Amino acid sequence: SELLTVPDGWKEPAFTREDNPKGLLEESSFATLFPKYREAYLKECWPLVQKALGEHYVNAALDLIEGSMTVTTTKKTFDPYAIIRARDLIKLLARSVPFEQVFRILQDDVACDIIKIGSLVRKRETFIKRRARLLGPKGSTLKALELLTNCYIMVQGNTVSALGPFSGLKEVRKVVLETMKNIHPIYSIKTLMIKRELAKDPELRTQSWERFLPKFKQKNLKKRKEPKKKNTKKEYTPFPPPQPESQIDKELASGEYFLKERQRKHKQMEEIKQADAIKRRQEERNKAFVPPKEKRVVKTKKASTEKKIDIEAIKEKVKNAKKKKLGALPEEEVKLKMAADEKKKKKK
């Protein structure tokens, strides 16, 4: 058989006077106290509160001396649930929720939930840290939660006030309680984001979403880190510890107490000599294990076999070689030959 589903866009018809023409039999009233710091704000917005409740024929009274707000039904009130909504309205006003959000409680599809978180954590410091974790940096975590659940959330003191549809309030309560149990709200936000995307697909409405949702593993440290210095407690004994032996008791036990002064000194000298002999013998034995000092190896510098090259002489040779022609005599021989030719000419 097919599951019965609510058609899209369907709304429950509003409760009108025709549904209850004779009104209520008894008069009902609710009262709640508010803190001193809310007094100034309530005085300002109270005419708006009376106007909003007057549309549903519910009277509202503000007592500043006692510090309380009271709502009561009248003879004209036809909706029996109007007084419950009025009660929630004054509760939320006392919890620092602004009137711009509070008056939405009078709508049919809006409800509220006040979650008490003050007694969920023992230590005050831990409670403050976890409450700050719910808000997130600059309220980003709370804003993301509001967008995903379509609820207005107000964290004030030891309570969390939520205002919105029933399905969203259920998720908000779950996230808040998990945060107080040291589960980070980012895991719940990721799951809600996936659920919102899955809800858009009409084929997946009748199927289980378990395979799509992430499974976060809980890390439990099995082995606790042990301290370096362990303070072991000694076994309790009713008897006091034994008294330490004095020098006289030790001498009596060894028999030195009955020796004469000369004999006692002679014995001490013998003990000192014996100790010195043992020390000397031990030093001689240890000498065998001391390695001998190695001689330092002096590296001899190798005589440089390479002769210094005279660069200037090589340059002169190259110049002279350039001036010479192939097969030509050297300059000196040419000069001698020329001088010999001149002498021959003079003789003639």
Side-chain angles (χ1 to χ4, degrees):
S1 63
E2 292 183 1
L3 293 168
L4 293 170
T5 55
V6 178
D8 292 334
W10 182 85
K11 284 187 177 181
E12 192 175 345
F15 193 87
T16 58
R17 186 171 284 279
E18 294 172 3
D19 297 318
N20 187 17
K22 293 182 180 181
L24 302 175
L25 186 65
E26 290 288 334
E27 186 183 292
S28 303
S29 65
F30 287 102
T32 185
L33 299 171
F34 60 86
K36 184 74 176 173
Y37 62 86
R38 290 291 288 168
E39 188 178 316
Y41 180 78
L42 290 171
K43 278 167 74 176
E44 285 181 14
C45 71
W46 198 250
L48 297 170
V49 174
Q50 287 178 325
K51 186 182 176 182
L53 291 174
E55 292 174 4
H56 296 269
Y57 304 102
V58 176
N59 287 336
L62 178 67
D63 189 352
L64 295 173
I65 297 165
E66 192 182 341
S68 65
M69 294 178 281
T70 312
V71 287
T72 54
T73 56
T74 60
K75 289 180 181 180
K76 290 183 180 180
T77 309
F78 60 89
D79 186 1
Y81 200 70
I83 188 65
I84 303 296
R85 287 178 183 154
R87 179 202 65 182
D88 292 340
L89 186 141
I90 59 172
K91 269 189 178 181
L92 291 169
L93 281 171
R95 300 278 178 186
S96 299
V97 181
F99 178 75
E100 290 78 14
Q101 295 291 336
V102 167
F103 82 96
R104 288 170 53 213
I105 196 71
L106 300 172
Q107 298 171 15
D108 288 337
D109 56 342
V110 178
C112 75
D113 189 9
I114 296 167
I115 308 154
K116 293 179 180 178
I117 57 173
S119 60
L120 297 175
V121 184
R122 281 185 182 179
K123 290 184 180 178
R124 183 69 183 169
E125 291 175 2
T126 312
F127 168 72
I128 291 163
K129 283 180 182 178
R130 290 181 188 176
R131 188 178 63 183
R133 191 183 293 170
L134 184 63
L135 291 166
K138 296 180 182 178
S140 57
T141 308
L142 197 67
K143 188 68 181 172
L145 201 61
E146 284 180 351
L147 292 168
L148 290 166
T149 57
N150 296 322
C151 293
Y152 175 81
I153 306 164
M154 182 72 183
V155 181
Q156 177 73 13
N158 294 334
T159 58
V160 178
S161 306
L163 185 75
F166 291 98
S167 58
L169 292 174
K170 187 181 175 183
E171 295 292 342
V172 170
R173 178 171 272 274
K174 184 186 172 187
V175 173
V176 169
L177 293 176
E178 281 182 351
T179 307
M180 289 295 122
K181 289 176 183 175
N182 203 20
I183 299 168
H184 205 281
I186 196 70
Y187 300 123
S188 304
I189 288 167
K190 283 182 180 179
T191 309
L192 287 170
M193 287 171 74
I194 293 162
K195 281 181 179 178
R196 190 173 67 171
E197 292 299 319
L198 292 169
K200 293 176 183 177
D201 194 348
E203 293 179 4
L204 294 169
R205 282 187 178 181
T206 55
Q207 296 179 17
S208 177
W209 292 350
E210 286 296 320
R211 63 178 189 270
F212 301 110
L213 300 176
K215 293 176 182 177
F216 302 106
K217 291 180 180 178
Q218 192 174 2
K219 291 181 181 179
N220 285 333
L221 296 172
K222 292 179 181 177
K223 290 184 179 179
R224 190 186 168 196
K225 286 185 179 179
E226 294 181 356
K228 289 180 180 179
K229 292 180 180 179
K230 290 184 180 180
N231 296 327
T232 53
K233 288 185 178 180
K234 295 177 181 178
E235 291 182 6
Y236 173 74
T237 51
F239 305 105
Q243 196 174 358
E245 288 184 346
S246 63
Q247 189 66 29
I248 296 167
D249 293 334
K250 289 176 183 177
E251 287 178 1
L252 285 167
S254 60
E256 287 180 34
Y257 186 78
F258 303 103
L259 295 173
K260 292 178 182 178
E261 188 66 30
R262 190 179 174 187
Q263 289 174 332
R264 200 178 295 136
K265 281 183 180 179
H266 181 72
K267 192 180 180 183
Q268 285 178 359
M269 289 296 291
E270 285 293 324
E271 286 176 358
I272 291 163
K273 283 179 183 178
Q274 199 173 356
D276 289 340
I278 291 164
K279 189 179 179 181
R280 219 179 293 113
R281 208 176 299 124
Q282 192 68 34
E283 285 175 359
E284 285 176 6
R285 284 176 187 171
N286 292 337
K287 279 180 185 178
F289 302 104
V290 177
K293 290 183 179 180
E294 294 181 1
K295 291 179 181 179
R296 289 184 179 180
V297 179
V298 181
K299 291 183 179 179
T300 55
K301 292 182 179 180
K302 292 180 180 179
S304 58
T305 52
E306 295 178 0
K307 292 178 181 178
K308 289 183 180 179
I309 298 164
D310 193 0
I311 295 165
E312 294 296 327
I314 292 166
K315 284 182 179 178
E316 283 292 325
K317 282 182 182 180
V318 171
K319 280 182 184 178
N320 295 335
K322 282 181 181 178
K323 288 176 183 178
K324 285 181 183 180
K325 292 179 182 178
L326 288 167
L329 295 167
E331 285 183 5
E332 291 177 0
E333 287 182 12
V334 171
K335 285 177 181 179
L336 290 169
K337 199 174 183 183
M338 285 172 72
D341 289 341
E342 285 178 1
K343 283 179 182 180
K344 282 180 183 180
K345 285 177 181 179
K346 287 177 181 180
K347 283 178 182 180
K348 286 179 180 180

